[in-house]
Amino acid sequence: MKKYMMIHDENLCIGCQGCSVACRSANNVPNVPIGLYRLQVHAKMSGTFPNLKTDFLRQSCVMCEDAPCVEVCPTGASFKTADGVTLLDHRICVSCKYCILACPYDARYVLPDGEIGKCTFCYESRLEEGKDPACVSVCPTNALTFGDVNDENSKISKKLKESKYYLPKAELNTKPSLAMIANTKGAHHE
């Protein structure tokens, strides 16, 4: 059984937004209203000149194993696949927005037509064809690693073994399937 996971390496990310643009294009996310996205990379600056640090932090669905959005969905429209991806069945979604309120990662949004949108790791469009998610396929610095963690020979399994990583908001015990490798570059000196 496959279990999909992604790693965002903050040391390699340059904040180019190529991942966000590819995601928007591959998944037909509208440009209006402004602020709709399945994923975004935010720059976080710290320190004082000349000791500055810039972290590029990914914000998207983290595919929680224990997903609060799934737990609160009254119709079962929010659900987990057998391989660990959190999806939304638009045919039975009533747009109650409970999932938006329950998500501690601010990873869902309302589309202009009233439907709820979120990252799906390009499950229906690319994974089913054996391709990586759009964001992974365009990253110019290979900051994103994706794959089946149950395959010990996969790139992601190897990266998890060799890297020190953290899970976003781990204290919430949602068990994210999106791990981050913290930026160690540009750290300011005190």
Side-chain angles (χ1 to χ4, degrees):
M1 174 77 61
K2 289 184 179 183
K3 182 177 183 328
Y4 290 116
M5 188 168 184
M6 185 180 291
I7 300 172
H8 176 248
D9 188 334
E10 297 169 7
N11 293 286
L12 298 176
C13 182
I14 58 173
C16 70
Q17 301 300 333
C19 55
S20 186
V21 172
C23 173
R24 183 178 296 280
S25 177
N27 296 292
N28 299 312
V29 177
N31 288 323
V32 177
I34 293 174
L36 293 184
Y37 53 84
R38 288 180 171 208
L39 79 92
Q40 188 71 34
V41 175
H42 300 285
K44 179 183 171 192
M45 307 281 295
S46 60
T48 55
F49 184 79
N51 301 311
L52 297 171
K53 181 178 180 185
T54 303
D55 293 318
F56 294 107
L57 308 170
R58 178 186 170 110
Q59 181 186 356
S60 69
C61 179
V62 299
M63 304 297 171
C64 304
E65 190 174 312
D66 292 329
C69 60
V70 171
E71 292 173 23
V72 300
C73 184
T75 65
S78 285
F79 66 98
K80 296 291 297 179
T81 64
D83 42 18
V85 179
T86 307
L87 295 179
L88 185 65
D89 184 342
H90 293 284
R91 297 169 300 172
I92 59 175
C93 177
V94 294
S95 296
C96 67
K97 302 177 187 68
Y98 289 173
C99 59
I100 292 173
L101 296 172
C103 177
Y105 301 95
D106 295 321
R108 291 185 179 220
Y109 57 90
V110 181
L111 290 159
D113 64 4
E115 284 192 359
I116 307 300
K118 66 172 290 303
C119 170
T120 63
F121 282 169
C122 295
Y123 195 82
E124 301 92 350
S125 60
R126 297 181 57 88
L127 287 187
E128 288 181 349
E129 297 175 7
K131 298 177 184 174
D132 280 339
C135 58
V136 176
S137 68
V138 301
C139 182
T141 62
N142 295 316
L144 297 172
T145 305
F146 180 81
D148 176 11
V149 294
N150 288 338
D151 174 359
E152 64 184 34
N153 295 314
S154 67
K155 283 188 226 175
I156 194 153
S157 290
K158 290 175 183 175
K159 187 136 188 161
L160 286 169
K161 286 176 190 165
E162 69 188 31
S163 303
K164 183 178 178 188
Y165 62 90
Y166 69 95
L167 300 174
K169 299 184 181 181
E171 69 277 7
L172 299 178
N173 295 315
T174 59
K175 301 178 190 139
S177 292
L178 173 64
M180 312 293 187
I181 297 175
N183 182 16
T184 58
K185 297 179 181 179
H188 58 278
H189 305 286
E190 307 250 1

